[in-house]
Amino acid sequence: MNMSPNTSQETILKVEDLKTYFPMRTGIFKAVDGVSFELKRGKTLCVVGESGSGKSVTARSILQIVDRPGRIEGGSILLTRADGSVTDLAKLDPRGKDIRSVRGKEIAMIFQEPMSSLSPVHRIGTQIGEALRIHFGIRGNEQRERVLELLRQVEIPRPETAIDRYTFEFSGGMRQRVMIAMALACNPQVLIADEPTTALDVTTQAEILDLIKKLQQSHGMAVLFITHDMGVVAEIADEVLVMYRGKVMERGPVEQIFHAPQDDYTRRLIGSVVKLEKKAEVRLTRAPIAAEAAPLLDVKNLSLTFPSGLKAVDDVSLVVRPGETLGIVGESGSGKTTMGRCLLRIYDPQAGAIDFRRPDGHTVDIRTADKAELKDIRREVRMIFQDPVGSLSPRKNVGQIIAEPLKLAGVKGRELEDRVSELMVQVGLEPAWRERYPHAFSGGQRQRIGIARAIAVKPRLIVADEATSALDVSLRSQMLDLMMKLQDELGLSYVFISHDMSVIRYMCDRVAVMYRGRIVETGDTDQVVNHPQHDYTRALLSAIPHPDPRERRIHKRFRYDPARTVSANG
Amino acid sequence: MTDITSLPPETGPSFNLSGKDIAVAGQWRLFWLKFKKHRIALASLVVIVFMYLVAAFADFIAPVDPNATNARFTYAPPQGLSLLLDGSFRPHVYQLKMTLNTESMRREFVADPTKPVSVGFFVKAPQPYYLLGLIPMQTKLFGLTNPQVGDSLYIFGADRLGRDIFSRVVHGAQISLSIGLVGVFMSLILGVTIGGISGFFGGWVDLAIQRFIELLRSIPTIPLWMGLAAAIPVGWPPLRTYFVITLIVSLIGWTSLAREVRGKFLSLRSEDFVIAARLDGMSEIGIIFNHLVPSFMSHIIATLTLAIPSMILAETALSFLGIGLQPPIISWGVLLQEAQNIRAVAQAPWLLFTPAAAIVISVLSLNFLGDGLRDAADPYESVS
Amino acid sequence: MLRYILKRLVFAIPTLFAVSIIAFIIIQLPPGDYLTTLMADWASQGGAVEAGTVAAMRERYGLDQPIYFQYYKWIWGILTAGDFGISFELGKPVTELIWNRLGFSLLLSLLTLCFVWAIAIPIGILSAVRQYSISDYTATFLAFFFLAVPDFLMALSAMYVMSAWFGQSVGGLFSPDYVDAGWSFGKLVDFARHVWLPVVVIGLGSLAALVRIMRANLLDELSKPYVTTARAKGMSELELLIRYPVRLALNPLISTLGWILPAVISGEIIVSVVMSLPTTGPLLLRALLAQDMYLAGSLILLISVLTIIGTLISDILLALTDPRIRFQ
């Protein structure tokens, strides 16, 4: 907070004491409560905060496009316009002509969900060209030429055909490029990017970040970048604004925020991010898992082809040793979730073997196990789901949810009650909450309920599918720590599926990298992270934003092209 | 990103309950809390309950036998019921005086203000009857306390044969409202069974059933109903005709229900909490009754409520055309047969508007009620 | 796109086949056949019928053959020669009786559809854009009200109002002078003066339903992120509304044609009976009451076929307006 703005640079937008409130039945919700900042030409300001911090509402307030019933209650948004005059955007009528002449022309915006933020029934050329028509009256062939030029700028291949296509014919990354082209149409002075890469894979994210940087330099734009990802902040920010519950916690140059944070909240936030940058401490001190121990799970040449013809799992082999955590990492569509579900026979793989060692030492192939055997095995192999909302029936209370597997295993009466209470304590929930329904719990608490259900019947192996991706970063390490604590207490093994390399590195002993249904590399986590052998792994690792502004690296990343192994542009 | 404590309040529980109560509120509690907020639906619920009660106690409420004729009072107009006479509580109507309009050669009735006829509550019925077909009774809710020749009580007017429209509408409610219930029940059985089979087995069974439903829905209902209803032999006993008509009417109703059930089945089957139950070792039957049925019960109730009005309307239309229920059965549709002739309506508009009001009020209330139930069917939308 | 249309056409064939079976079942459903009814009639009039005559008639109508053969004969006649059989009651070929009436039915249904769409869309838009305003509540209440009033009640009430308050007799599609006259400008004006009331009466129920759907669709679309995107471009609120959410909300509305059309045709039939319009309705009712089953069955078949063709057209329209369906 003690950072005084450097006034020598050219300020385009100056926001002071901005207040955006949502009147509710239950009272006024102060989504943005006294926020001030400045945007300077050619510079990037990152607004960072967890969900509900008001960062997105802040961005929308600037263009006066806050959803109803929200409205600006106070403060000023001073825009220095191209002709040198200054306008207070906060004073303009949200439906009026004046604010419209700013939107898209002087300040443009891109959004998180490129799919739903674009109309599915209009050609992309039409949608991009609209801003040109509205602000400059450019139509027809001239408009088409300009749009083609924009598509070239955002590096969309074959612009001549792409211009007449629809959004659903593009991949997520390409859609976001379309959004960017749309935003650039009128050469705005300011670009507001509201979590533009959150819905994208890391490799795609890296490319979009590159593109924004490049265009910012060539157009001399100021960029206001909203994100929850501290890694992204470290990679691109010049200045950072940390928000929490509608208020600014800290504001300063990126260097200061990461290396000399002044505020407690910032310190905690950075702390939880940095904590996930290395292996968990409890794992550093643990004795290594004996490599020669008989494997608990031995998957051989597993394959699953969906009726659509998609080879979701393609000749996958892997081993899980007792007490070990095996990470499966991959981007969306890599088949990691499908593979995890095959291990419990939620899907029926067509070929291969899933040999599981029972407590008495003999092995059973889960892929071909009969119904009774499968039922037994599913008590020993359990699952934790990604979505803490969808995985708990909203119609059962917590006691009933946790008791369900126990009841089906034949536990009854007093013993059942005691066991449920015991489990709740074990995962850090109050046993007194057992009468409550899932809707009364937060995301982190719900995930704990899911964990309690998984460990209720004393399993030996747990398949955790993106168990922490739905949680804010500060909750993430807590959840991982809980899982490791339980691992040590109960002698569990985990198959930990994630798209997030940092949680894999934090928790997993070994890691397998999946790409398009295949495992391209397996090895000790340290080995794979520090010395990746496969080009895809190298590309994946080098695209991950590193939460240290002193070590920006994604612009130097390695690009993987399965056809040519190395390429200039993936 | 789902830490509920940091979300704006509109996504949190939106009921006027303290956090602790809402935390332990189950499905039906939340359902009721959400439904209660829908004022019109709540009022409609009251109206509907009232109408079904009237239907059930029709014998008690109707002052006279709905089939009793009286040639003297052909097309007698509604007699206004006044509660006060000379400043004290003495419910009464005025005697009708008949004159002959020489111009139109029609009989016309005028209320004679000099001759009040006293009306009482809980009066003795002309004949003993069985309430709900069980309880022997001889009391009516209201009626003439001391009927003399020339006195009459037609609060909603009389028809061509001098029958009391009010009593007929009240009795008609029994058939018309129950056809909705019985029809919906039949639809429920058909819809849940077929929809369940479709959703559960999937594959070609599902495809075949879906094609069949699409086919049924693409045929205009009225000609189909007319064709089927016309095939009912005229000589059949009333009860059998009633059931066959109900069956015909529910023939279409089940399709929307089957679709609803199938859709829910399919979407729930891939929900994580259902997969979790399967992994817990629960049998498919167990999953259906422990997880699936509770999840779509509220939706089914809403859909069923919304299906009742269309059944009532279908019966009314068929009976009106003369190919549904036939006199002497009394239903609202049968009553409207009397109003088919526009000249009769011009002379005695109450023939049309009394049964019409009954139909419109019941259908309107059921639609509002169904709408409210549907909105409340998923109380978790606003909670989670 | 062409593949999509072809696929739809191929899908329509089994539907048409099934509809023909249903129509035939309806023909066959009444106990006995037309001859038993006829004999009963003659018997009640005191005349006896010779067994030989009956047998001859049975043979002529193919009534002594197995049921599938009768169906085959019936459908074959329709497909190859356009022969729908003979109306027993009127003693004429069905084709002679129905085409004119079918034409009026079609015309009336099309006019009603146009009316319904032209009115429902603006009201739906207004209701959604001014959500929770007086006009929204009024539209919502009226929509619920008209959904609760059956077509024939509406027709009766309209006729009552016209005759009691305006002293006009309502009925038919033409004044007596014009019924048998050839088409002329005068006849057209006369037609317009008669047709508006049935159109409004038939349409109100579907209109109410469509207003509700349009409102719900538009409310859905209004909260979609692409609306914010367009707003952020600097587009004016009105242009934005028309160009994006309304455009998208219309797509599901087109697909409702699949059930609006059967509803309108149903309403047309029953309203025509009440208002004695020269359409298929009164003819169908009369045929059904007289168990003139070839006539009734043919009418049900043709009405259903028209509906299926209408649904097909709505599918194709939907594909034209929605690229997501076209590219499936």
Side-chain angles (χ1 to χ4, degrees):
Chain A
M1 291 291 241
N2 59 355
M3 145 90 195
S4 60
N6 186 349
T7 41
S8 67
Q9 278 166 315
E10 196 186 341
T11 300
I12 302 177
L13 192 75
K14 190 174 166 71
V15 173
E16 279 210 56
D17 198 26
L18 179 68
K19 293 185 167 108
T20 305
Y21 294 169
F22 287 73
M24 299 278 170
R25 255 172 327 196
T26 45
I28 286 173
F29 174 65
K30 299 179 178 177
V32 178
D33 194 8
V35 169
S36 307
F37 59 86
E38 278 169 34
L39 281 181
K40 298 183 194 80
R41 193 174 299 284
K43 295 288 175 190
T44 302
L45 172 70
C46 275
V47 180
V48 69
E50 303 196 331
S51 47
S53 59
K55 54 190 190 301
S56 193
V57 179
T58 305
R60 282 158 197 248
S61 299
I62 295 172
L63 284 179
Q64 294 246 33
I65 50 170
V66 182
D67 288 332
R68 267 185 279 187
R71 48 169 307 187
I72 298 178
E73 290 289 332
S76 63
I77 305 166
L78 300 174
L79 172 71
T80 310
R81 309 188 70 154
D83 58 11
S85 64
V86 175
T87 310
D88 184 358
L89 303 181
K91 299 280 182 295
L92 299 181
D93 170 16
R95 302 173 71 91
K97 217 171 164 164
D98 295 338
I99 188 77
R100 288 210 308 270
S101 69
V102 173
R103 291 177 188 158
K105 190 176 170 204
E106 303 206 38
I107 306 178
M109 189 158 176
I110 58 177
F111 299 89
Q112 175 175 353
E113 292 283 347
M115 182 67 188
S116 52
S117 298
L118 290 168
S119 158
V121 302
H122 293 85
R123 295 173 201 278
I124 61 156
T126 319
Q127 298 191 56
I128 296 172
E130 243 164 14
L132 292 169
R133 178 178 56 75
I134 295 166
H135 295 294
F136 302 116
I138 299 173
R139 289 163 201 273
N141 261 342
E142 193 190 348
Q143 190 194 74
R144 195 177 169 86
E145 284 308 314
R146 295 281 288 271
V147 171
L148 285 173
E149 175 51 36
L150 286 164
L151 289 175
R152 267 178 227 121
Q153 277 186 31
V154 296
E155 294 156 16
I156 286 182
R158 289 182 304 281
E160 290 79 11
T161 49
I163 190 169
D164 289 322
R165 293 187 174 273
Y166 296 95
T167 45
F168 54 85
E169 298 177 79
F170 291 93
S171 67
M174 285 298 147
R175 283 182 207 135
Q176 198 55 280
R177 285 170 192 265
V178 171
M179 282 288 288
I180 294 171
M182 204 154 91
L184 291 179
C186 298
N187 265 323
Q189 302 188 67
V190 178
L191 177 70
I192 302 176
D194 186 0
E195 304 247 15
T197 58
T198 306
L200 306 174
D201 280 326
V202 278
T203 47
T204 321
Q205 163 173 290
E207 273 160 33
I208 296 293
L209 293 179
D210 264 4
L211 179 69
I212 292 176
K213 191 98 224 162
K214 200 168 124 192
L215 294 167
Q216 176 182 21
Q217 278 158 5
S218 62
H219 288 66
M221 287 184 297
V223 172
L224 179 67
F225 198 102
I226 316 289
T227 183
H228 67 280
D229 186 335
M230 290 307 278
V232 171
V233 175
E235 287 286 351
I236 65 165
D238 296 308
E239 261 196 276
V240 182
L241 191 73
V242 182
M243 283 186 73
Y244 180 70
R245 299 208 173 174
K247 288 200 190 313
V248 176
M249 292 290 118
E250 185 165 0
R251 178 178 148 199
V254 62
E255 175 79 19
Q256 174 198 319
I257 297 290
F258 278 86
H259 292 290
Q262 307 293 306
D263 176 76
D264 263 356
Y265 175 74
T266 314
R267 230 174 275 144
R268 277 207 309 276
L269 192 65
I270 300 289
S272 53
V273 172
V274 169
K275 192 175 168 194
L276 281 176
E277 277 304 295
K278 49 188 188 291
K279 208 173 191 73
E281 271 166 37
V282 286
R283 283 294 167 268
L284 289 172
T285 53
R286 192 172 69 154
I289 308 286
E292 63 279 6
L296 179 66
L297 190 75
D298 190 356
V299 178
K300 294 179 201 122
N301 311 102
L302 195 69
S303 290
L304 171 73
T305 307
F306 281 123
S308 64
L310 176 76
K311 263 194 167 180
V313 181
D314 188 3
D315 197 28
V316 164
S317 300
L318 42 86
V319 165
V320 183
R321 302 198 187 90
E324 175 185 62
T325 301
L326 173 70
I328 311 281
V329 71
E331 295 182 292
S332 56
S334 63
K336 55 191 192 304
T337 292
T338 311
M339 200 277 292
R341 295 195 160 202
C342 285
L343 299 182
L344 283 125
R345 275 271 294 281
I346 296 173
Y347 297 129
D348 281 309
Q350 284 105 356
I354 311 169
D355 287 331
F356 177 69
R357 190 173 300 276
R358 303 294 300 272
D360 59 10
H362 84 277
T363 60
V364 182
D365 182 3
I366 296 179
R367 192 180 81 80
T368 54
D370 63 28
K371 234 177 154 179
E373 217 164 10
L374 193 61
K375 203 171 162 178
D376 283 348
I377 291 171
R378 280 176 175 171
R379 295 223 169 93
E380 290 170 37
V381 187
R382 304 283 295 166
M383 182 143 194
I384 298 172
F385 294 86
Q386 168 175 6
D387 178 11
V389 178
S391 59
L392 305 177
S393 169
R395 289 164 184 83
K396 310 246 176 224
N397 67 34
V398 174
Q400 289 167 327
I401 290 171
I402 299 176
E404 191 176 81
L406 291 166
K407 266 192 194 156
L408 290 162
V411 184
K412 284 199 236 357
R414 187 80 222 149
E415 193 193 345
L416 182 68
E417 302 284 301
D418 291 346
R419 182 85 183 104
V420 170
S421 302
E422 191 186 319
L423 282 163
M424 288 183 77
V425 173
Q426 213 164 6
V427 298
L429 295 170
E430 290 281 339
W433 294 345
R434 58 193 302 157
E435 301 290 317
R436 295 191 178 184
Y437 286 83
H439 63 249
F441 293 90
S442 69
Q445 288 170 326
R446 287 186 209 205
Q447 205 55 297
R448 286 170 195 266
I449 300 169
I451 293 175
R453 174 172 62 188
I455 61 169
V457 284
K458 307 212 163 120
R460 296 162 61 227
L461 174 66
I462 289 181
V463 179
D465 184 5
E466 300 272 13
T468 58
S469 354
L471 305 175
D472 271 331
V473 63
S474 55
L475 289 168
R476 221 171 274 168
S477 57
Q478 285 178 23
M479 207 57 58
L480 297 173
D481 288 342
L482 171 68
M483 288 177 70
M484 282 185 284
K485 184 193 91 166
L486 293 170
Q487 179 168 43
D488 295 344
E489 285 172 11
L490 306 170
L492 289 168
S493 305
Y494 287 119
V495 173
F496 193 92
I497 298 166
S498 181
H499 70 282
D500 184 346
M501 208 53 177
S502 60
V503 301
I504 296 269
R505 180 176 40 206
Y506 186 72
M507 152 129 188
C508 299
D509 302 301
R510 286 187 313 120
V511 61
V513 182
M514 263 187 106
Y515 178 67
R516 297 196 180 165
R518 292 177 152 270
I519 291 199
V520 293
E521 182 166 359
T522 322
D524 285 344
T525 309
D526 296 333
Q527 183 70 29
V528 172
V529 170
N530 298 325
H531 309 285
Q533 298 300 305
H534 194 276
D535 282 345
Y536 174 71
T537 318
R538 282 175 62 199
L540 182 67
L541 284 165
S542 66
I544 297 170
H546 185 50
D548 183 355
R550 289 177 187 166
E551 202 189 331
R552 293 188 171 174
R553 60 188 189 194
I554 61 168
H555 58 282
K556 302 181 291 206
R557 72 188 179 280
F558 177 80
R559 291 172 170 89
Y560 174 63
D561 182 344
R564 283 188 293 145
T565 318
V566 184
S567 108
N569 192 0
Chain B
M1 262 150 265
T2 36
D3 197 339
I4 209 158
T5 54
S6 61
L7 287 180
E10 85 255 50
T11 51
S14 55
F15 305 111
N16 300 327
L17 266 190
S18 70
K20 196 158 178 299
D21 279 348
I22 209 79
V24 296
Q27 168 176 214
W28 297 107
R29 183 93 202 277
L30 293 177
F31 182 74
W32 173 242
L33 287 173
K34 195 166 176 195
F35 175 76
K36 245 184 11 186
K37 295 202 303 183
H38 201 313
R39 296 270 174 75
I40 301 177
L42 197 64
S44 298
L45 178 66
V46 175
V47 173
I48 288 301
V49 169
F50 173 76
M51 291 191 92
Y52 273 97
L53 284 177
V54 167
F57 298 103
D59 288 302
F60 172 64
I61 289 161
V64 293
D65 180 350
N67 290 318
T69 57
N70 189 340
R72 191 190 174 109
F73 291 108
T74 299
Y75 292 135
Q79 291 170 274
L81 184 69
S82 321
L83 292 178
L84 296 178
L85 185 66
D86 303 333
S88 57
F89 182 73
R90 276 168 60 195
H92 63 278
V93 293
Y94 291 107
Q95 207 181 56
L96 288 175
K97 200 164 75 185
M98 190 184 70
T99 55
L100 194 68
N101 184 329
T102 46
E103 223 171 285
S104 65
M105 293 307 285
R106 275 195 196 141
R107 296 200 290 177
E108 284 180 356
F109 293 92
V110 196
D112 182 351
T114 60
K115 290 181 182 159
V117 181
S118 126
V119 174
F121 288 94
F122 303 105
V123 297
K124 191 165 173 291
Q127 287 103 33
Y129 63 93
Y130 289 91
L131 190 66
L132 300 168
L134 295 169
I135 311 155
M137 277 189 58
Q138 208 170 356
T139 310
K140 293 272 187 181
L141 178 65
F142 71 99
L144 297 177
T145 39
N146 186 18
Q148 305 291 320
V149 178
D151 288 356
S152 61
L153 180 61
Y154 293 117
I155 58 168
F156 285 170
D159 68 1
R160 180 169 50 92
L161 300 172
R163 294 174 292 197
D164 177 26
I165 299 278
F166 176 74
S167 300
R168 288 176 73 72
V169 168
V170 166
H171 276 272
Q174 289 187 320
I175 298 289
S176 291
L177 290 179
S178 73
I179 254 183
L181 278 193
V182 177
V184 154
F185 183 69
M186 288 189 198
S187 298
L188 175 69
I189 294 173
L190 277 171
V192 169
T193 317
I194 298 176
I197 289 172
S198 192
F200 195 78
F201 287 101
W204 70 266
V205 180
D206 182 38
L207 200 71
I209 292 176
Q210 288 315 306
R211 295 297 307 170
F212 181 63
I213 289 179
E214 263 174 51
L215 167 74
L216 271 186
R217 290 173 76 95
S218 70
I219 302 176
T221 48
I222 285 281
L224 185 65
W225 283 334
M226 283 168 75
L228 294 171
I232 301 172
V234 184
W236 272 15
L239 196 68
R240 204 192 291 171
T241 314
Y242 170 83
F243 275 111
V244 174
I245 289 285
T246 316
L247 195 67
I248 290 173
V249 167
S250 53
L251 210 73
I252 300 301
W254 70 269
T255 53
S256 55
L257 203 68
R259 283 193 156 186
E260 176 100 350
V261 170
R262 168 182 174 271
K264 283 273 150 202
F265 244 103
L266 287 183
S267 67
L268 284 167
R269 217 168 45 162
S270 53
E271 284 273 345
D272 280 351
F273 73 85
V274 173
I275 293 175
R278 191 167 294 135
L279 294 180
D280 285 346
M282 195 177 267
S283 64
E284 291 301 317
I285 297 290
I287 288 173
I288 290 176
F289 285 100
N290 268 304
H291 288 287
L292 299 187
V293 172
S295 303
F296 59 58
M297 206 56 178
S298 51
H299 294 270
I300 286 186
I301 290 174
T303 312
L304 283 180
T305 312
L306 286 170
I308 298 176
S310 59
M311 309 233 165
I312 294 177
L313 291 179
E315 179 275 325
T316 320
L318 288 179
S319 302
F320 170 76
L321 289 176
I323 45 178
L325 299 172
Q326 307 286 353
I329 303 178
I330 303 170
S331 79
W332 292 340
V334 172
L335 292 183
L336 284 170
Q337 282 182 21
E338 295 277 331
Q340 238 172 8
N341 183 338
I342 194 69
R343 251 168 299 163
V345 174
Q347 194 188 346
W350 48 92
L351 287 182
L352 170 62
F353 291 108
T354 316
I359 294 169
V360 172
I361 291 171
S362 56
V363 170
L364 196 59
S365 314
L366 280 164
N367 276 337
F368 276 129
L369 175 64
D371 210 47
L373 290 174
R374 193 173 45 191
D375 283 353
D378 199 350
Y380 299 101
E381 273 176 353
S382 67
V383 177
S384 59
Chain C
M1 180 68 194
L2 206 65
R3 257 193 59 197
Y4 172 84
I5 295 177
L6 278 178
K7 219 168 93 181
R8 284 278 133 190
L9 280 173
V10 171
F11 267 133
I13 292 170
T15 316
L16 289 171
F17 176 66
V19 162
S20 75
I21 289 180
I22 289 176
F24 188 72
I25 289 174
I26 288 173
I27 294 178
Q28 294 295 329
L29 211 52
D33 50 46
Y34 178 70
L35 289 183
T36 32
T37 324
L38 196 66
M39 270 155 50
D41 266 8
W42 286 350
S44 67
Q45 285 158 18
V49 192
E50 275 180 48
T53 322
V54 175
M57 285 184 78
R58 255 180 218 290
E59 201 177 351
R60 193 178 132 211
Y61 293 125
L63 297 177
D64 51 350
Q65 318 243 274
I67 193 105
Y68 58 86
F69 188 77
Q70 288 187 38
Y71 170 75
Y72 166 76
K73 219 177 138 184
W74 179 70
I75 200 78
W76 191 247
I78 292 173
L79 287 178
T80 55
D83 173 15
F84 285 86
I86 284 177
S87 161
F88 296 125
E89 198 201 3
L90 301 169
K92 285 184 189 168
V94 168
T95 30
E96 262 181 44
L97 296 164
I98 54 176
W99 289 120
N100 195 21
R101 284 175 173 263
L102 212 58
F104 277 120
S105 277
L106 199 63
L107 184 62
L108 201 51
S109 303
L110 286 178
L111 287 174
T112 308
L113 278 181
C114 295
F115 162 73
V116 164
W117 277 62
I119 305 289
I121 293 171
I123 297 182
I125 293 175
L126 193 75
S127 202
V129 173
R130 304 244 176 284
Q131 199 191 2
Y132 303 133
S133 67
I134 297 289
S135 47
D136 178 30
Y137 283 124
T138 315
T140 303
F141 184 81
L142 284 180
F144 268 96
F145 179 76
F146 286 119
L147 277 176
V149 184
D151 300 313
F152 67 93
L153 261 187
M154 193 83 75
L156 278 175
S157 314
M159 287 168 78
Y160 172 75
V161 169
M162 292 306 277
S163 83
W165 295 357
F166 298 102
Q168 283 184 335
S169 80
V170 183
L173 287 176
F174 302 101
S175 311
D177 308 349
Y178 281 109
V179 170
D180 291 318
W183 280 101
S184 63
F185 182 70
K187 184 166 180 170
L188 202 66
V189 172
D190 184 59
F191 175 72
R193 284 172 53 169
H194 280 80
V195 83
W196 71 270
L197 190 64
V199 162
V200 171
V201 165
I202 300 166
L204 275 177
S206 306
L207 174 68
L210 271 192
V211 166
R212 298 290 298 155
I213 295 171
M214 183 68 203
R215 177 180 183 272
N217 286 346
L218 191 54
L219 281 177
D220 262 11
E221 297 295 335
L222 279 172
S223 61
K224 295 261 174 80
Y226 67 77
V227 176
T228 313
T229 309
R231 191 169 288 142
K233 263 188 236 175
M235 199 179 269
S236 77
E237 292 295 318
L238 183 69
E239 183 188 351
L240 176 106
L241 180 72
I242 308 280
R243 202 175 276 269
Y244 288 100
V246 169
R247 166 77 179 75
L248 272 109
L250 282 179
N251 283 344
L253 210 63
I254 292 172
S255 62
T256 60
L257 204 62
W259 61 262
I260 291 280
L261 192 64
V264 163
I265 287 182
S266 284
E268 182 268 310
I269 284 173
I270 198 159
V271 167
S272 296
V273 170
V274 176
M275 296 184 137
S276 50
L277 307 180
T279 66
T280 46
L283 189 66
L284 176 62
L285 182 64
R286 186 166 140 200
L288 285 168
L289 288 174
Q291 294 211 349
D292 188 351
M293 286 334 231
Y294 276 112
L295 182 54
S298 304
L299 282 171
I300 290 176
L301 177 69
L302 285 172
I303 291 167
S304 308
V305 167
L306 282 182
T307 317
I308 290 166
I309 292 172
T311 316
L312 199 66
I313 293 172
S314 86
D315 280 348
I316 292 170
L317 272 180
L318 190 60
L320 280 176
T321 53
D322 195 334
R324 285 169 294 184
I325 289 175
R326 208 156 62 223
F327 282 84
Q328 250 174 21

